[in-house]
PDB file of all heavy atoms in Angstrom:
ATOM      1  N   ASN A  42     -27.387  63.105 -15.043  1.00 98.00           N
ATOM      2  CA  ASN A  42     -27.009  64.447 -15.505  1.00 98.00           C
ATOM      3  C   ASN A  42     -26.519  65.247 -14.440  1.00 98.00           C
ATOM      4  O   ASN A  42     -27.422  65.687 -13.655  1.00 98.00           O
ATOM      5  CB  ASN A  42     -28.263  65.059 -16.310  1.00 98.00           C
ATOM      6  CG  ASN A  42     -27.974  66.525 -16.675  1.00 98.00           C
ATOM      7  OD1 ASN A  42     -26.911  66.976 -16.749  1.00 98.00           O
ATOM      8  ND2 ASN A  42     -29.153  67.203 -16.986  1.00 98.00           N
ATOM      9  N   LYS A  44     -25.126  68.079 -14.345  1.00 98.00           N
ATOM     10  CA  LYS A  44     -25.284  69.474 -14.493  1.00 98.00           C
ATOM     11  C   LYS A  44     -24.012  70.229 -13.969  1.00 98.00           C
ATOM     12  O   LYS A  44     -23.001  69.736 -14.233  1.00 98.00           O
ATOM     13  CB  LYS A  44     -26.493  69.980 -13.639  1.00 98.00           C
ATOM     14  CG  LYS A  44     -27.733  69.219 -14.060  1.00 98.00           C
ATOM     15  CD  LYS A  44     -29.050  69.755 -13.575  1.00 98.00           C
ATOM     16  CE  LYS A  44     -30.249  68.874 -14.000  1.00 98.00           C
ATOM     17  NZ  LYS A  44     -31.560  69.362 -13.740  1.00 98.00           N
ATOM     18  N   HIS A 127     -31.272  69.979 -23.538  1.00 98.00           N
ATOM     19  CA  HIS A 127     -31.847  70.009 -22.231  1.00 98.00           C
ATOM     20  C   HIS A 127     -32.542  71.343 -21.987  1.00 98.00           C
ATOM     21  O   HIS A 127     -32.235  72.377 -22.484  1.00 98.00           O
ATOM     22  CB  HIS A 127     -30.694  69.903 -21.156  1.00 98.00           C
ATOM     23  CG  HIS A 127     -31.326  69.603 -19.839  1.00 98.00           C
ATOM     24  ND1 HIS A 127     -31.719  70.513 -18.983  1.00 98.00           N
ATOM     25  CD2 HIS A 127     -31.402  68.499 -19.129  1.00 98.00           C
ATOM     26  CE1 HIS A 127     -32.200  70.118 -17.857  1.00 98.00           C
ATOM     27  NE2 HIS A 127     -31.932  68.759 -17.912  1.00 98.00           N
ATOM     28  N   GLU A 129     -32.932  73.319 -19.531  1.00 98.00           N
ATOM     29  CA  GLU A 129     -32.159  74.329 -18.994  1.00 98.00           C
ATOM     30  C   GLU A 129     -31.266  75.051 -20.040  1.00 98.00           C
ATOM     31  O   GLU A 129     -31.109  76.375 -19.893  1.00 98.00           O
ATOM     32  CB  GLU A 129     -31.160  73.836 -17.859  1.00 98.00           C
ATOM     33  CG  GLU A 129     -31.994  73.489 -16.615  1.00 98.00           C
ATOM     34  CD  GLU A 129     -31.482  72.361 -15.716  1.00 98.00           C
ATOM     35  OE1 GLU A 129     -30.323  72.061 -15.840  1.00 98.00           O
ATOM     36  OE2 GLU A 129     -32.276  71.784 -14.904  1.00 98.00           O
ATOM     37  N   GLU A 199     -38.694  65.053 -20.808  1.00 98.00           N
ATOM     38  CA  GLU A 199     -38.507  65.767 -19.555  1.00 98.00           C
ATOM     39  C   GLU A 199     -39.486  66.934 -19.387  1.00 98.00           C
ATOM     40  O   GLU A 199     -39.151  68.011 -19.855  1.00 98.00           O
ATOM     41  CB  GLU A 199     -37.058  66.263 -19.383  1.00 98.00           C
ATOM     42  CG  GLU A 199     -36.079  65.169 -19.325  1.00 98.00           C
ATOM     43  CD  GLU A 199     -34.765  65.526 -18.531  1.00 98.00           C
ATOM     44  OE1 GLU A 199     -34.235  66.678 -18.932  1.00 98.00           O
ATOM     45  OE2 GLU A 199     -34.459  64.785 -17.660  1.00 98.00           O
ATOM     46  N   ALA A 203     -41.282  69.377 -14.036  1.00 93.00           N
ATOM     47  CA  ALA A 203     -40.875  68.312 -13.141  1.00 93.00           C
ATOM     48  C   ALA A 203     -39.384  68.261 -12.736  1.00 93.00           C
ATOM     49  O   ALA A 203     -38.850  67.443 -11.984  1.00 93.00           O
ATOM     50  CB  ALA A 203     -41.292  66.910 -13.725  1.00 93.00           C
ATOM     51  N   ILE A 204     -38.645  69.092 -13.406  1.00 91.00           N
ATOM     52  CA  ILE A 204     -37.182  69.107 -13.234  1.00 91.00           C
ATOM     53  C   ILE A 204     -36.692  69.773 -12.094  1.00 91.00           C
ATOM     54  O   ILE A 204     -36.862  71.044 -11.907  1.00 91.00           O
ATOM     55  CB  ILE A 204     -36.442  69.547 -14.560  1.00 91.00           C
ATOM     56  CG1 ILE A 204     -36.782  68.604 -15.768  1.00 91.00           C
ATOM     57  CG2 ILE A 204     -35.017  69.741 -14.407  1.00 91.00           C
ATOM     58  CD1 ILE A 204     -36.202  69.170 -17.033  1.00 91.00           C
ATOM     59  N   GLY A 205     -36.141  69.086 -11.281  1.00 86.00           N
ATOM     60  CA  GLY A 205     -35.456  69.671 -10.000  1.00 86.00           C
ATOM     61  C   GLY A 205     -36.545  70.276  -9.111  1.00 86.00           C
ATOM     62  O   GLY A 205     -36.160  70.994  -8.134  1.00 86.00           O
ATOM     63  N   GLY A 244     -37.096  63.901 -14.672  1.00 96.00           N
ATOM     64  CA  GLY A 244     -37.811  64.995 -13.956  1.00 96.00           C
ATOM     65  C   GLY A 244     -38.061  64.494 -12.586  1.00 96.00           C
ATOM     66  O   GLY A 244     -39.003  63.669 -12.413  1.00 96.00           O
ATOM     67  N   SER A 245     -37.117  64.684 -11.686  1.00 95.00           N
ATOM     68  CA  SER A 245     -37.351  64.252 -10.252  1.00 95.00           C
ATOM     69  C   SER A 245     -37.591  62.736 -10.137  1.00 95.00           C
ATOM     70  O   SER A 245     -38.240  62.342  -9.182  1.00 95.00           O
ATOM     71  CB  SER A 245     -38.439  65.056  -9.565  1.00 95.00           C
ATOM     72  OG  SER A 245     -38.274  66.381  -9.627  1.00 95.00           O
ATOM     73  N   MET A 246     -36.874  61.993 -10.987  1.00 96.00           N
ATOM     74  CA  MET A 246     -36.901  60.485 -10.706  1.00 96.00           C
ATOM     75  C   MET A 246     -35.922  60.259  -9.660  1.00 96.00           C
ATOM     76  O   MET A 246     -34.849  60.867  -9.554  1.00 96.00           O
ATOM     77  CB  MET A 246     -36.485  59.744 -12.051  1.00 96.00           C
ATOM     78  CG  MET A 246     -36.810  58.230 -11.919  1.00 96.00           C
ATOM     79  SD  MET A 246     -36.154  57.208 -13.203  1.00 96.00           S
ATOM     80  CE  MET A 246     -37.350  57.382 -14.550  1.00 96.00           C
ATOM     81  N   LEU A 264     -33.339  59.875 -17.211  1.00 98.00           N
ATOM     82  CA  LEU A 264     -32.263  60.955 -17.189  1.00 98.00           C
ATOM     83  C   LEU A 264     -32.432  61.535 -15.811  1.00 98.00           C
ATOM     84  O   LEU A 264     -33.449  62.167 -15.520  1.00 98.00           O
ATOM     85  CB  LEU A 264     -32.547  61.979 -18.294  1.00 98.00           C
ATOM     86  CG  LEU A 264     -31.330  62.994 -18.445  1.00 98.00           C
ATOM     87  CD1 LEU A 264     -29.943  62.427 -18.575  1.00 98.00           C
ATOM     88  CD2 LEU A 264     -31.600  63.965 -19.582  1.00 98.00           C
ATOM     89  N   ILE A 265     -31.387  61.351 -15.048  1.00 98.00           N
ATOM     90  CA  ILE A 265     -31.510  61.584 -13.591  1.00 98.00           C
ATOM     91  C   ILE A 265     -30.640  62.769 -13.190  1.00 98.00           C
ATOM     92  O   ILE A 265     -29.414  62.737 -13.443  1.00 98.00           O
ATOM     93  CB  ILE A 265     -31.008  60.424 -12.756  1.00 98.00           C
ATOM     94  CG1 ILE A 265     -31.561  59.040 -13.364  1.00 98.00           C
ATOM     95  CG2 ILE A 265     -31.461  60.440 -11.273  1.00 98.00           C
ATOM     96  CD1 ILE A 265     -32.892  58.795 -13.519  1.00 98.00           C
ATOM     97  N   GLY A 266     -31.215  63.844 -12.668  1.00 98.00           N
ATOM     98  CA  GLY A 266     -30.433  64.988 -12.215  1.00 98.00           C
ATOM     99  C   GLY A 266     -29.944  64.817 -10.699  1.00 98.00           C
ATOM    100  O   GLY A 266     -29.092  64.039 -10.380  1.00 98.00           O
ATOM    101  N   GLY A 267     -30.656  65.393  -9.857  1.00 97.00           N
ATOM    102  CA  GLY A 267     -30.390  65.495  -8.374  1.00 97.00           C
ATOM    103  C   GLY A 267     -29.937  64.091  -7.836  1.00 97.00           C
ATOM    104  O   GLY A 267     -28.898  63.969  -7.233  1.00 97.00           O
TER     105      GLY A 267
HETATM  106  P1  PGA B  18     -33.875  66.157 -11.854  1.00 84.92           P
HETATM  107  O1  PGA B  18     -33.221  66.635 -13.224  1.00 84.92           O
HETATM  108  O2  PGA B  18     -33.824  64.713 -11.735  1.00 84.92           O
HETATM  109  O3  PGA B  18     -33.055  66.857 -10.757  1.00 84.92           O
HETATM  110  O4  PGA B  18     -35.306  66.621 -11.821  1.00 84.92           O
HETATM  111  C1  PGA B  18     -33.481  65.854 -14.375  1.00 84.92           C
HETATM  112  C2  PGA B  18     -32.728  66.559 -15.537  1.00 84.92           C
HETATM  113  O5  PGA B  18     -32.729  67.766 -15.649  1.00 84.92           O
HETATM  114  O6  PGA B  18     -32.231  65.858 -16.465  1.00 84.92           O
END
Side-chain angles (χ1 to χ4, degrees):
N42 172 13
K44 309 193 180 183
H127 191 279
E129 285 152 16
E199 296 208 309
I204 295 177
S245 299
M246 193 189 277
L264 184 56
I265 322 297

